Amino acid sequence: TRFAYVRHFEQASEYFLPRDTWLVIRVDGRGFSRFTQAHNYVKPNDVRGIQLMNRAAMHVAREFNECCAAYGQSDEYSFVLHKSTQLYSRRLSKIASSVSSAFSSAFVFHWAEYFPTTPLQYPPAFDSRVVSYPTVQHVRDYFSWRQADCHINNLYNTCFWALVQQGGMTPPEAEARLDGTFSNDKNELLYSQFGINYNTLSAVFRKGTFLAKEEPGAFPADAFLPGGCTDLLPWPANDQSVEGFPVSPLAGAGALEASVAGLSVSPSEQEAGEVTEKADDTAAAMSSSSTSHLKGRALRRALAKEERKQRKAANLRKDFHALHIDIIGDNFWATSATPGTKPGLGAVLFAERSADAPAPGTLRRSLSQELADVL
Amino acid sequence: TRFAYVRHFEQASEYFLPRDTWLVIRVDGRGFSRFTQAHNYVKPNDVRGIQLMNRAAMHVAREFNECCAAYGQSDEYSFVLHKSTQLYSRRLSKIASSVSSAFSSAFVFHWAEYFPTTPLQYPPAFDSRVVSYPTVQHVRDYFSWRQADCHINNLYNTCFWALVQQGGMTPPEAEARLDGTFSNDKNELLYSQFGINYNTLSAVFRKGTFLAKEEPGAFPADAFLPGGCTDLLPWPANDQSVEGFPVSPLAGAGALEASVAGLSVSPSEQEAGEVTEKADDTAAAMSSSSTSHLKGRALRRALAKEERKQRKAANLRKDFHALHIDIIGDNFWATSATPGTKPGLGAVLFAERSADAPAPGTLRRSLSQELADVL
Amino acid sequence: TRFAYVRHFEQASEYFLPRDTWLVIRVDGRGFSRFTQAHNYVKPNDVRGIQLMNRAAMHVAREFNECCAAYGQSDEYSFVLHKSTQLYSRRLSKIASSVSSAFSSAFVFHWAEYFPTTPLQYPPAFDSRVVSYPTVQHVRDYFSWRQADCHINNLYNTCFWALVQQGGMTPPEAEARLDGTFSNDKNELLYSQFGINYNTLSAVFRKGTFLAKEEPGAFPADAFLPGGCTDLLPWPANDQSVEGFPVSPLAGAGALEASVAGLSVSPSEQEAGEVTEKADDTAAAMSSSSTSHLKGRALRRALAKEERKQRKAANLRKDFHALHIDIIGDNFWATSATPGTKPGLGAVLFAERSADAPAPGTLRRSLSQELADVL
Amino acid sequence: TRFAYVRHFEQASEYFLPRDTWLVIRVDGRGFSRFTQAHNYVKPNDVRGIQLMNRAAMHVAREFNECCAAYGQSDEYSFVLHKSTQLYSRRLSKIASSVSSAFSSAFVFHWAEYFPTTPLQYPPAFDSRVVSYPTVQHVRDYFSWRQADCHINNLYNTCFWALVQQGGMTPPEAEARLDGTFSNDKNELLYSQFGINYNTLSAVFRKGTFLAKEEPGAFPADAFLPGGCTDLLPWPANDQSVEGFPVSPLAGAGALEASVAGLSVSPSEQEAGEVTEKADDTAAAMSSSSTSHLKGRALRRALAKEERKQRKAANLRKDFHALHIDIIGDNFWATSATPGTKPGLGAVLFAERSADAPAPGTLRRSLSQELADVL
Ligand SMILES: Nc1nc2c(ncn2[C@H]2C[C@H](O)[C@@H](COP(=O)(O)OP(=O)(O)OP(=O)(O)O)O2)c(=O)[nH]1
Ligand SMILES: Nc1nc2c(ncn2[C@H]2C[C@H](O)[C@@H](COP(=O)(O)OP(=O)(O)OP(=O)(O)O)O2)c(=O)[nH]1
Ligand SMILES: Nc1nc2c(ncn2[C@H]2C[C@H](O)[C@@H](COP(=O)(O)OP(=O)(O)OP(=O)(O)O)O2)c(=O)[nH]1
Ligand SMILES: Nc1nc2c(ncn2[C@H]2C[C@H](O)[C@@H](COP(=O)(O)OP(=O)(O)OP(=O)(O)O)O2)c(=O)[nH]1
Ligand SMILES: O=P(O)(O)OP(=O)(O)OP(=O)(O)O
Ligand SMILES: O=P(O)(O)OP(=O)(O)OP(=O)(O)O
Ligand SMILES: O=P(O)(O)OP(=O)(O)OP(=O)(O)O
Ligand SMILES: O=P(O)(O)OP(=O)(O)OP(=O)(O)O
Ligand SMILES: [Mg+2]
Ligand SMILES: [Mg+2]
Ligand SMILES: [Mg+2]
Ligand SMILES: [Mg+2]
Ligand SMILES: [Mg+2]
Ligand SMILES: [Mg+2]
Ligand SMILES: [Mg+2]
Ligand SMILES: [Mg+2]
Ligand SMILES: [Mg+2]
Ligand SMILES: [Mg+2]
Ligand SMILES: [Mg+2]
Ligand SMILES: [Mg+2]
């Protein structure tokens, strides 16, 4: 129609995010001071609220394939898209609006599972922004920024509400009491006045939640969890994967076990073993039969194709694990410079490899060696 | 902290929409072909689906104060923010993400009211985009574009599903039958083959839904509804304003009456009469007592202040009315050039006046005359 | 080549300016405090410098067809592109960089014509920015902003240098003397202390230079020059149109006369008379012969085509006139609401018509009447 | 004034380029097909034109401190700003417009030095664009893209004009002859038909010009010039540094020698030796006297400060060298992974270090060792 010319006006607000850079999308609750009050959130931290945020984030992280990890605390969640992503051709509005929409939608959708006795009073909203970071170091610093924020606010809030709820102060009195204090003053205050050792509080509150996309059991805990991870919360039993996604290790009955298992214990190592065996079978089969007659370029191609196939399969097996760990320190980000040492989880998740590359170690060693020999 | 530098990277993806231009935000369902199938939407139009879209749009339109009007059809809704808006300082990401979030959130929130027997299977999402238009003519053409789209698609879909559901054709056969046909061919087909007079189908389907922000009963129907509006759907009885907003004329029992009344009939004219009387009281009181001793600049200021007060009060009384009318033709957009004629609704809603200006006629005549005399 | 992928990265910094809005490009000398000192510019105003700026601006205004007008003062120049422009598809970088480049290039190119005895010491540079304005009112306010700036700075500088050069003050003393003074204080100071009536200083300094694109002699002065224009500077005799552009009324020997003539006096009215006559001939010929047998739509089309032809011819005859006039007051911007009155130059230049539309009055009256009759 | 509000409209077209990324600005002549013809450029390559482009580029590269290198061919030049640059706070318009302006201005300014007998007919213009690249690899690929373009076009043009000028073909015939040919076909054609060995043509034409910012004599040729550099053109004798910049090794009489010397031969090594000696003196003096009493943090700070001082001094000594070398191959980009090998020039110029960091080797070894010991 002759009105269609108005379409062209969209071009002027169509922005493309820089290519080959990491995209971080942060959603933040609009007016959650009011929302948390209206819904009687526990102060300073409401486990139901946190789990609901995690559930909504899990939905978003699964919906957008190139998402490698996410981190949440308070009324916010940050999602990292791998720098190779071409989601919506990197159009800013599409990414920002779709992520905030999916998050909000899932938040309302799952509300009753976490707040079964508190009806939702009105539709909550979340804004979002997309930021482009050129290197992994920036992504690391971004996570550190958000976790440091979590730490500072949580320490403050813990003191504040202890003074008010247990110490009988009025909010203004509590505020005045904390004014000008440093971290150690606050730790000291908690311990001396309320017998609280801040560091023994649940890591969920102190560290926030990090969602890592990994295969079930692919990483033994010691590879990337220097501080350990002792207090993973059980995932509610009524959580179910409704959208045809692979059932999460966090979802359904037994989620806690599976999740912890994913980090350290034996059952998953068995499972991982099986996976590896199967891969080995395939590879062995392939290497002996299908590639034995190939040479040079042809062999290289066949191996590259097989590698892509393995990667894709590995990627399909992956899902998000919720961890409450330190993501600031070097252990999390260490690359395995020294032979024999294992890289940190951060180094694994934010590798240069494309988003669907396999977790290190899942790709059969001999395959990459063969490749190396040929190249 | 030393990590806070990452914050500065936000600047590079922070875009400001042009000032003093109309902002149109269009949300569109992501993958609604699948969503409508998965939830057994009636084909080609599901009244429940349309009402839910309207309900979600009503929520958004109320949330963002500078919204003057909205228009919806299929899985999309467009919201117009007055050109004077300073919402989020006109930051693109904030506007786009908040609107899509609020819409999605309300869609899920109200789902069960419209689909009481169909559980929501998964959280739906909507993308959004913001477009800037410099003049009202562009806004008019934008609405025309969307309503023409509604018309074209609905005529096609009506034929298509008549051929399939009543004519026993397979979808490919129906598609082939319609290939190359023009509007009048399709009208003819519907009439001759299925006895359907397209123009008597519900205006909801043919025209989509236009949400207009107006006072209860401010506009008699003949001012802006040349084609009339015969088939406004009753608003579900269980709809309630939960967020402290003024109860909509569309909400609650009797909404149909109120809504229609808002356009033409007597009860609302009574109400409007009362409002006018009250305003007259205030004005009379003010003009006689508080301004009688003022002269020149001082009087001008006092009157301007009073005008702003009246505007604000008028604006607070306003809420959105759902109309299923022609928004392409000149009647809707006519300004009242000739004395004695009334302007069309479009001309009223998208007036140059600031977003919170009163509907014409609600501002006491003598007040503006006084102003005119002084100036 | 396999490197060509880097090309795609250009997309992320490719911005499109809003459509159907007026584009204003302002260039400003980089470090002209130093440049003017290094080249011994007369203080506070150097006529040679101003003329060189005007010459460079004339070049730019001619190079970019959609430019309707320009305004310069101090080390800056602003160019207005008609809102219909599709220059470089409205790509920001292309427009900003090309304009600053063309301006700088012409500035250096013409340097020696205006500073024949002062060698250019180093290549000067100008930055530029592009701003989008939705309405003519904004364009008007933009020009007012720049001319007000010219006035304020020039009044200050005139006082400052009078105090220093004639009053024997040191610069800090002069600054202190002027601190806290208002416009009328400064006027008073100039008059009482130095016998200078500020308003009799050359309008070039007080008003800056406005470049208007018009036909030779198309507008009698009283149409748009309420304040008159008494002190147009003679354009240097050695200025020549080197690029195949039509010779400007400002260029070559006799430029002063032609220019002033263009505004008020008889020779140009004669010329304008001739032009009109010629147009009349064409029109008469056309209307009698080629259109007499046409009716309705066909006639309308023929007339529209003829109108476009006349417009194009009129546009080709146009060139830029340098005026030193008030562009803030209403006279300049007045549209001809009352029959019999002539519109101001601003209203003519920034008409809604497309960039190549004819100046009002150049289009044969009977033609538009015929159109009006038919439509 | 009340008009100043128009200023705020600038915000909507104010874009900030992504931080911590390499900025590449490419200028390109507007309509240089016509310009080169109008000024009788030699075909296919005019040495005067190339030298003038290099001269203008030298001006730009010197003006913008964070510029590390530039590359030119045909009517275009690309400038790389170090990723740490905060030039104009990374505002797109300012950078794009200033660079194109400075380039154009210098081009006209220096015209007569290179075309003493050809008057400039009209002011030439250059557009520019700014592109952001996240890693050095992208910068490398960018240079490769432009040099490959140079190669392809130059090989084609060489053949084309040989066929026309020596082979007596008409341009269409020459075009037809070359249609569908590959690189080796063209090489073969040149050799067999015209006795031209393409690889012995001047590297200026085949490789374009790379401007590298380095200290006089800092790098012995073998470090980064695998292919050698045999045909550097003498820089015109009348070139002078007029803007207070350090005299370039390329400027003035003896420039050729200095330039070549800068790459390989003894005089500059002597000079470099002197520089190093002086640095050693300072360092020795400092390390023995000023730091001997310092410990830990204090020592670290003192050393860091000294390092910054040395860096700054080193940077001030640097100027641009024009090279006509291969910038695609690995030698140019090689980092010195193996001890004992020297890094390529590309690796040196585009190091992670901040823009004003010293060339490797100029920082006294013991200083960094001391730092290493302490840290
Ligand atoms: N009681 C309680 N409050 C929480 C919890 N998590 C977040 N909140 C509250 C604390 C803060 O008031 C609010 C988050 O702060 P924001 O800075 O995001 O402010 P708010 O969302 O009110 O405004 P905004 O629209 O984001 O500018 O949410 C929780 O677990 N329990
Ligand atoms: N049965 C039925 N379908 C509807 C109704 N309203 C909308 N739809 C469907 C028809 C279309 O398949 C779809 C809207 O078309 P779109 O172009 O927005 O496509 P879709 O949302 O699938 O993809 P997208 O993510 O927007 O690109 O929604 C309805 O009332 N009844
Ligand atoms: N003597 C003299 N100076 C002039 C004349 N016209 C302009 N100027 C000088 C006065 C100001 O110092 C300077 C323009 O001020 P700006 O605010 O543009 O500053 P400037 O160009 O130095 O810095 P910028 O790079 O634009 O930020 O040019 C003139 O006719 N005569
Ligand atoms: N004869 C001659 N021509 C040259 C030389 N260097 C560049 N040119 C010409 C060849 C091309 O026609 C032109 C550069 O091509 P472009 O693609 O930049 O086209 P042009 O500048 O005409 O148009 P544009 O405004 O950039 O789109 O400059 C030279 O050394 N000698
Ligand atoms: O979403 P579609 O397919 O209707 O088409 P579009 O909305 O014009 O495309 P996009 O959503 O990608 O802007
Ligand atoms: O939302 P706040 O108040 O925490 O602060 P912000 O997120 O930095 O501000 P904005 O949401 O306006 O970007
Ligand atoms: O200028 P061209 O024709 O070489 O092509 P381009 O530079 O890719 O196009 P543009 O200058 O329009 O970006
Ligand atoms: O250039 P100035 O100092 O007159 O100030 P500005 O032009 O407003 O600032 P900028 O050039 O940085 O936009
Ligand atoms: Mg915020
Ligand atoms: Mg919040
Ligand atoms: Mg928050
Ligand atoms: Mg779409
Ligand atoms: Mg859709
Ligand atoms: Mg749709
Ligand atoms: Mg400036
Ligand atoms: Mg300046
Ligand atoms: Mg200035
Ligand atoms: Mg180009
Ligand atoms: Mg070119
Ligand atoms: Mg080119």
Side-chain angles (χ1 to χ4, degrees), chain A residues 5-6 10 13 15 26 30 88 94 97 100-101 104-105 121-122 124 126-130 133 141 243, chain B residues 5-6 10 13 15 26 30 88 94 97 100-101 104-105 122 124 126-130 133 141 242-243:
Chain A
Y5 82 94
V6 296
E10 292 182 14
S13 49
Y15 300 106
R26 178 167 76 255
R30 287 183 68 210
Y88 295 127
K94 293 283 255 188
S97 63
S100 70
S101 165
S104 310
S105 185
Q121 311 245 324
Y122 60 88
F126 294 81
D127 67 34
S128 84
R129 71 197 69 202
V130 191
Y133 290 111
D141 290 345
E243 295 149 82
Chain B
Y5 81 93
V6 295
E10 293 182 13
S13 49
Y15 301 106
R26 179 169 73 254
R30 288 183 68 210
Y88 295 127
K94 293 283 257 189
S97 62
S100 71
S101 165
S104 311
S105 185
Y122 59 89
F126 294 81
D127 66 35
S128 85
R129 73 197 69 203
V130 191
Y133 290 112
D141 290 345
V242 292
E243 294 149 81

Side-chain angles (χ1 to χ4, degrees), chain B residues 27-33 74-76 125-127:
Chain B
V27 299
D28 183 285
R30 288 183 68 210
F32 259 51
S33 306
S74 184
D75 68 338
E76 71 172 52
F126 294 81
D127 66 35

Side-chain angles (χ1 to χ4, degrees), chain B residues 344-356:
Chain B
L345 177 55
V348 171
L349 290 172
F350 305 107
E352 288 291 307
R353 63 189 160 82
S354 76
D356 61 351

Side-chain angles (χ1 to χ4, degrees), chain B residues 162-221:
Chain B
L163 290 169
V164 171
Q165 290 168 345
Q166 299 167 247
M169 280 187 175
T170 63
E173 284 168 356
E175 206 184 321
R177 170 67 186 82
L178 294 171
D179 198 42
T181 58
F182 293 108
S183 268
N184 45 352
D185 302 328
K186 296 201 189 72
N187 275 308
E188 179 59 25
L189 180 153
L190 281 176
Y191 193 69
S192 60
Q193 202 169 337
F194 304 104
I196 298 171
N197 180 346
Y198 183 74
N199 287 317
T200 61
L201 294 183
S202 171
V204 181
F205 306 145
R206 289 181 294 110
K207 301 296 176 193
T209 302
F210 183 82
L211 295 184
K213 188 176 192 178
E214 276 309 334
E215 294 201 65
F219 289 94

